[in-house]
Amino acid sequence: MRLIKHGIISIIIILCLLACDRSRVFEHYYTTGPNGWNKDSVARFSIDIENQAQNYNLLINTRNLESYPFNNLWLFVDVIAPDSTILRDTVECQLAFPNGKWMGKGTSGVYENRFSYRKNIFFPVKGAYQINISQGMRADELKGLNDIGVRVEKVKY
């Protein structure tokens, strides 16, 4: 019994240490839903920036199923600053190799990828930034893409 108790405590400590991610400022996912991601649906993320002197990396996270019918994903990304300044981009995320093998980490037919969107940037205005992402594929309902996410992390010097 004592051995089991110590084993459980050890596992909890290891999981806590693995969960610590000091560079992460924000990470959240938008789930597209069972019918797919409609071309008119927008994934909205709000990020509070307090430290204007800190540099950050912005990343886009995806989770797709094996049934996703394409090897890439086109996204329209808007970053809206608290002063209403808008940065608009079109971004391509490559999800599979030319031979059809999925990129990223995969278990049970779900593949997770992390794409660098902007590196070593700073946010010039303190406050809440809005990041809006919509799909730019030709499909009205994009099936097989489970989640789209945004991660903001501090640049380590």
Side-chain angles (χ1 to χ4, degrees), residues 37-54:
W37 190 8
N38 187 283
K39 68 178 183 175
D40 297 327
S41 295
V42 179
R44 299 179 193 281
F45 305 92
S46 183
I47 304 158
D48 287 322
I49 300 295
E50 298 298 323
N51 187 352
Q52 296 163 273
Q54 174 69 50

Side-chain angles (χ1 to χ4, degrees), residues 93-106:
C93 300
Q94 198 66 39
L95 301 177
F97 294 102
N99 66 3
K101 184 178 185 298
W102 293 108
M103 296 178 175
K105 299 177 196 170

